Amino acid sequence: MEDILLKGEVGDIIFQNKENGYTVFTMEIQEEEITCVGVVPLIHSGESLSVRGSWINHPVYGKQLQVQFYEKFMPTSQNGMEKYLSSGLIKGLGPKTSRKIVERFGDAAFYVIEEKPDLLTEIKGITHEKAQRISEIFREQHELRKVMMFLQGFEVSPAYTMRIYKRYKGRTFDIVKTNPYRLADDIFGIGFKMADKMAANAGIAEDNPNRIKAAVKYVLNQAASNGDCFLPKDKLIAESVELLELHPLAVENAIRELQVESQIWQENLAGLDVVYLNFYYYAEMAVAKRFIELSMDCEETDPEILERQISQMEKETGVQLAPEQRQAVREAMSGGVLIITGGPGTGKTTTINTILRLLEKEEKEVVLAAPTGRAAKRMTDATGVEAKTIHRLLGTTFVSDDNRRQVFDKNEDDPIEADVLIIDETSMVDLHLMHALLRAIENGTSVIFVGDMDQLPSVGAGNVLKDMIRSERLRVVRLQHVFRQAQESAIIMNAHRINQGEEPVLNEGGTDFFFMRRAYGQEVLSTVQELVKSRLPKYTGHDGLADMQVLTPMRKGMLGVQSLNQVLQQTLNPPSPNKKEKEFRQTTFREGDKVMQIKNNYNIVWRCFSCQGKRTDEGLGVYNGDAGRILKIDEENEMVRVSFDDGKVVDYDFTQLEELELAYAITIHKSQGSEYPVVILPVYSGPPMLMTRNLLYTAVTRAKELVVLVGLRETVNSMIANNREVGRYTALAERIRNLYDFMNELEVQP
């Protein structure tokens, strides 16, 4: 897009969001009036403005300038001064009084207001008190103007400028000049690299201790976003040195200072020096402690009575449990902490339903939960008992000026009310969420964790389910028997073959598992298009938009999420005069599009409606991975309405669209906890770290009725052979083991 630079005077403020600075306004440029939109906070009619941006065509309002950067100047003409003063900037100063001030003092009007406010009393209706108030507000605005212009000099975008000013106000100058790295801690969205650029502009030395400490925390935070709870100290130093281009000794000194300041934790784990951000260390310790405490609440049950109850339940339901399922039921009824793990077709749902019926007969209060909305809905459908997301169960809110810090309503002071808590899809639960969950479970509550340990680990830091099992100190029942009805599904049988390192059986007659060989990337892309548009709807009767999901290992490249979504949007939901659109950054959102929430938003309002359109429920929170469809794009009110798969309806302000992305194709990681009637999986090429066995296994197990692999058989085989699990630096298993052994040693001592 062509970069446009214009200078003029602010005319009318049509719309302004005071929270985020998004503004629609007119500018008068050489007797021509243009409409501008963008994050342009705290502007007023009459101000002179220099704006840089690009032209866009609004479907209703026509040609507009999308502002990227701007610079403000005080009005210099008397007409501009008058408009500025009467713009509402100063409460109680209307058009008549503003005109009198400018007529009386002319070009010196602003100087008089700021420096000689007593002279304003010469104007009828302005008392001494009012003159002082006008001057005070004017000076505050002048201070604000200086801060805004100061930050723009550091190439900070208007959106971040607004956040910084709201946080620091008049302290902004001092903080940015002396330690801009504070912004990386205090302002959501400003990371080390942006702060480092500001520091360079401020002339802060490369070996400044604040810079080195910020870099160390940045490397640890990056590691956490990749799943690691800590880093080996040598690795942390090496990555920090590469980032800073400084001597390792400077980094070691910074690590020492951060430990003294209680921002990080160092210890030796099995001969390895490691470094944690404080939160992850204390979270690991707290999670291990709660597991041990809760696991000690086991009750002795009469085995003969329990066996009779299980047999009676089998007669009532007509379901014959396998030996390992019976074991899981027995263990569940004795309380404490239990892990039930198994692959597809091994009877996890049947086992849980049996446990639920037995608990119901004992009149126990049971609560079901899962990490995502889709997983909770699947759990509800499978059991007939309402399941909530863990976040909703805990009651989450976000606090602080920038909505960065998450707080859970449920904790040790206000715990979850339940005799038994059952958590499904536990492999998706990261350390942070598990820590919050365990804090909210009171002693005496039994907890049953259900999940497939061979699925991909959580998106967030930790590998909690595997660590729980690897600790060998918590009770685990492994369901391994694949039931006869499941054996009839090639999806399930091939999933187990893949998991065991064997090649899948492809394209058998009457199968639900197909492979289509395509030798070139463009052929794979064309075939995927053809499958969703015509071939599979004709073959299966399923709708390409509602019932089929394209999964891919990666985000970039011809067969990555970004490329596939553009192609599939054009294929399944092409432009139409009847469908409104909104372009946001590089994405066009269209009514009818499949979309996904890509970050947790704990404060956004959702509503549920009945078939008759009556509101039936409402609450707060939409979470990373929630998927739905765009119902409506409202240009006039700057709003996009999304209906999510779990029934929630959410209205997004245009400035919130960074939280959504198209979801015709999603990464396999994002598909965890979900099931789709039909899964289409391009298997062509990609980085070895992504093309792994458990990634393929996870993708295949997302399908209920049909899997279609498109690409190269060699790629399928290489993924199965690549059983290299991407290791995560976690110590939860060791902490559970050590704490359990220590507490048992105390018990046996005389």
Side-chain angles (χ1 to χ4, degrees):
M1 293 184 181
E2 186 183 356
D3 205 27
I4 305 295
L5 180 64
L6 297 172
K7 292 182 179 179
E9 192 174 276
V10 177
D12 295 325
I13 307 295
I14 300 167
F15 170 81
Q16 189 165 57
N17 184 323
K18 288 186 168 61
E19 288 299 312
N20 56 35
Y22 183 83
T23 309
V24 181
F25 63 100
T26 62
M27 269 184 71
E28 296 166 10
I29 302 169
Q30 297 174 353
E31 299 183 358
E32 180 187 356
E33 187 175 80
I34 66 164
T35 301
C36 303
V37 296
V39 180
V40 187
L42 304 166
I43 60 167
H44 301 91
S45 297
E47 287 180 316
S48 296
L49 217 60
S50 173
V51 295
R52 193 170 84 233
S54 54
W55 293 112
I56 58 171
N57 272 307
H58 191 286
V60 177
Y61 303 112
K63 190 176 181 182
Q64 298 178 334
L65 186 75
Q66 179 78 50
V67 178
Q68 302 299 330
F69 284 93
Y70 74 100
E71 188 173 359
K72 293 198 293 185
F73 307 95
M74 289 294 275
T76 52
S77 70
Q78 291 189 19
N79 181 53
M81 288 179 170
E82 190 178 319
K83 284 172 69 176
Y84 179 77
L85 291 174
S86 63
S87 66
L89 167 74
I90 301 171
K91 193 174 181 180
L93 198 59
K96 287 184 181 178
T97 308
S98 299
R99 187 179 304 115
K100 288 178 183 177
I101 292 172
V102 174
E103 285 175 353
R104 172 71 182 83
F105 299 109
D107 293 345
F110 286 173
Y111 170 76
V112 169
I113 292 171
E114 190 168 4
E115 301 293 339
K116 306 282 186 182
D118 288 345
L119 295 178
L120 294 175
T121 58
E122 297 175 10
I123 295 169
K124 188 178 179 181
I126 298 182
T127 63
H128 177 75
E129 290 75 15
K130 186 172 182 178
Q132 295 302 318
R133 189 172 68 251
I134 289 170
S135 180
E136 185 179 338
I137 295 171
F138 189 87
R139 284 197 301 271
E140 281 178 5
Q141 289 294 323
H142 187 55
E143 172 77 6
L144 171 58
R145 178 189 307 280
K146 287 193 293 185
V147 168
M148 304 293 274
M149 293 306 105
F150 168 72
L151 289 172
Q152 287 202 17
F154 287 88
E155 298 183 20
V156 179
S157 73
Y160 285 120
T161 295
M162 191 74 175
R163 291 181 188 177
I164 295 167
Y165 178 75
K166 283 176 71 177
R167 179 66 186 244
Y168 300 128
K169 300 289 173 56
R171 295 181 298 141
T172 303
F173 298 102
D174 184 52
I175 289 169
V176 171
K177 285 179 180 176
T178 58
N179 184 17
Y181 299 102
R182 271 191 63 179
L183 276 62
D185 288 332
D186 295 343
I187 311 295
F188 181 65
I190 293 187
F192 169 78
K193 292 188 176 179
M194 188 185 294
D196 202 36
K197 189 174 181 181
M198 293 171 68
N201 288 344
I204 292 172
E206 289 187 349
D207 61 354
N208 183 288
N210 289 324
R211 177 175 187 252
I212 305 169
K213 287 190 285 187
V216 169
K217 288 190 291 183
Y218 170 77
V219 171
L220 286 170
N221 273 309
Q222 287 296 105
S225 69
N226 291 326
D228 295 317
C229 296
F230 65 81
L231 282 180
K233 188 173 181 180
D234 289 348
K235 184 176 176 67
L236 173 61
I237 291 172
E239 291 187 16
S240 301
V241 165
E242 186 178 350
L243 181 66
L244 294 164
E245 297 182 351
L246 293 173
H247 194 277
L249 191 58
V251 176
E252 287 207 52
N253 290 336
I255 291 172
R256 195 176 303 113
E257 284 185 40
L258 286 167
Q259 171 117 20
V260 170
E261 294 166 6
S262 298
Q263 295 194 56
I264 64 169
W265 179 270
Q266 294 189 75
E267 72 171 303
N268 187 281
L269 287 176
L272 181 68
D273 289 328
V274 304
V275 183
Y276 283 83
L277 286 169
N278 261 10
F279 167 79
Y280 294 103
Y281 169 73
Y282 289 113
E284 270 193 357
M285 294 295 289
V287 166
K289 180 172 178 285
R290 283 304 286 150
F291 276 144
I292 302 304
E293 290 170 345
L294 291 167
S295 68
M296 289 179 171
D297 282 327
C298 287
E299 300 174 4
E300 289 292 329
T301 56
D302 187 316
E304 291 184 10
I305 294 175
L306 186 53
E307 284 301 324
R308 284 200 299 271
Q309 289 174 332
I310 294 171
S311 297
Q312 180 62 31
M313 190 62 66
E314 287 178 321
K315 286 179 184 176
E316 291 175 10
T317 60
V319 174
Q320 184 70 37
L321 298 179
E324 58 214 24
Q325 288 179 302
R326 292 179 79 90
Q327 183 196 352
V329 174
R330 285 194 299 269
E331 296 278 3
M333 298 307 290
S334 64
V337 173
L338 174 66
I339 302 155
I340 301 174
T341 185
T346 57
K348 293 193 296 293
T349 299
T350 302
T351 305
I352 294 305
N353 280 332
T354 304
I355 293 167
L356 282 171
R357 288 189 178 92
L358 288 171
L359 291 169
E360 186 181 337
K361 288 196 171 186
E362 293 189 1
E363 297 184 345
K364 298 279 191 182
E365 185 175 354
V366 185
V367 172
L368 308 187
T372 66
R374 280 199 168 195
K377 186 174 186 300
R378 280 178 58 200
M379 199 178 188
T380 301
D381 294 342
T383 62
V385 179
E386 184 196 2
K388 295 180 179 180
T389 64
I390 297 173
H391 287 92
R392 192 174 172 196
L393 177 66
L394 293 173
T396 54
T397 54
F398 244 35
V399 298
S400 82
D401 291 341
D402 55 11
N403 275 359
R404 187 178 184 182
R405 189 163 59 86
Q406 179 182 354
V407 173
F408 293 98
D409 299 334
K410 294 290 183 183
N411 52 38
E412 50 275 292
D413 298 322
D414 181 18
I416 298 162
E417 294 181 10
D419 296 312
V420 181
L421 179 61
I422 303 177
I423 305 295
D424 200 9
E425 297 287 353
T426 308
S427 63
M428 298 176 67
V429 180
D430 62 19
L431 182 67
H432 175 67
L433 189 56
M434 184 60 80
H435 178 229
L437 177 64
L438 294 178
R439 281 185 65 196
I441 300 173
E442 61 183 340
N443 291 338
T445 298
S446 303
V447 194
I448 302 168
F449 295 101
V450 185
D452 183 349
M453 66 176 289
D454 294 315
Q455 296 281 354
L456 293 168
S458 57
V459 174
N463 202 348
V464 177
L465 178 62
K466 276 197 175 176
D467 281 347
M468 290 164 68
I469 295 169
R470 285 172 178 161
S471 74
E472 298 180 344
R473 298 298 185 273
L474 303 175
R475 290 180 300 143
V476 180
V477 177
R478 291 177 171 82
L479 304 181
Q480 295 172 314
H481 174 74
V482 180
F483 286 85
R484 184 180 301 167
Q485 60 267 36
Q487 291 176 12
E488 296 171 4
S489 165
I491 294 173
I492 290 175
M493 298 313 295
N494 279 335
H496 284 281
R497 288 189 184 96
I498 290 166
N499 201 28
Q500 291 157 15
E502 301 169 9
E503 292 184 20
V505 176
L506 304 174
N507 300 344
E508 285 186 330
T511 188
D512 53 9
F513 197 106
F514 287 95
F515 172 77
M516 302 176 72
R517 179 175 176 79
R518 296 294 183 268
Y520 300 101
Q522 188 58 52
E523 283 185 307
V524 176
L525 190 61
S526 302
T527 301
V528 170
Q529 278 183 276
E530 189 184 342
L531 285 169
V532 298
K533 186 176 183 181
S534 56
R535 291 183 66 169
L536 287 178
K538 188 174 179 181
Y539 173 70
T540 65
H542 284 302
D543 178 65
L545 193 60
D547 302 325
M548 299 180 196
Q549 185 61 59
V550 178
L551 303 179
T552 179
M554 57 217 134
R555 293 196 61 82
K556 296 181 179 177
M558 182 188 294
L559 298 173
V561 165
Q562 293 166 351
S563 170
L564 280 167
N565 270 319
Q566 290 182 359
V567 170
L568 294 172
Q569 181 191 43
Q570 189 68 24
T571 305
L572 294 171
N573 191 32
S576 163
N578 303 320
K579 293 180 180 178
K580 293 179 182 174
E581 297 181 356
K582 168 62 182 174
E583 189 169 331
F584 184 80
R585 295 177 182 166
Q586 272 72 53
T587 301
T588 299
F589 291 103
R590 185 174 298 131
E591 289 176 342
D593 274 339
K594 286 174 75 169
V595 291
M596 177 174 279
Q597 178 82 9
I598 58 170
K599 59 171 71 171
N600 291 335
N601 184 330
Y602 303 93
N603 275 349
I604 199 164
V605 176
W606 56 261
R607 297 176 177 86
C608 291
F609 298 91
S610 67
C611 298
Q612 291 77 34
K614 291 183 179 179
R615 187 184 302 172
T616 58
D617 195 10
E618 65 177 38
L620 296 175
V622 181
Y623 305 110
N624 188 356
D626 287 353
R629 298 273 288 276
I630 294 179
L631 292 180
K632 178 183 178 183
I633 295 177
D634 185 342
E635 290 281 357
E636 186 175 345
N637 294 305
E638 309 270 340
M639 179 271 291
V640 173
R641 178 165 294 164
V642 176
S643 174
F644 285 95
D645 293 344
D646 58 4
K648 294 176 184 172
V649 175
V650 177
D651 290 342
Y652 290 83
D653 185 273
F654 279 178
T655 59
Q656 295 174 301
L657 291 180
E658 64 182 3
E659 298 182 12
L660 293 174
E661 69 178 17
L662 296 176
Y664 297 93
I666 62 175
T667 62
I668 296 168
H669 264 106
K670 289 284 190 186
S671 74
Q672 284 178 273
S674 300
E675 269 191 344
Y676 314 95
V678 179
V679 165
I680 302 163
L681 180 65
V683 281
Y684 186 66
S685 65
M689 67 178 294
L690 289 179
M691 309 299 281
T692 63
R693 182 189 298 176
N694 73 332
L695 202 77
L696 180 61
Y697 171 75
T698 299
V700 167
T701 54
R702 297 308 90 206
K704 287 195 286 188
E705 298 176 28
L706 183 68
V707 170
V708 184
L709 308 183
V710 185
L712 298 171
R713 180 67 187 256
E714 296 88 336
T715 301
V716 176
N717 293 342
S718 68
M719 288 180 79
I720 293 168
N722 184 7
N723 196 29
R724 182 184 63 183
E725 185 181 336
V726 178
R728 291 188 167 192
Y729 291 113
T730 76
L732 181 60
E734 289 76 11
R735 297 196 190 283
I736 295 170
R737 193 179 305 129
N738 294 341
L739 190 57
Y740 180 92
D741 293 348
F742 174 73
M743 293 183 77
N744 276 276
E745 281 176 19
L746 288 180
E747 283 187 14
V748 298
Q749 285 178 2

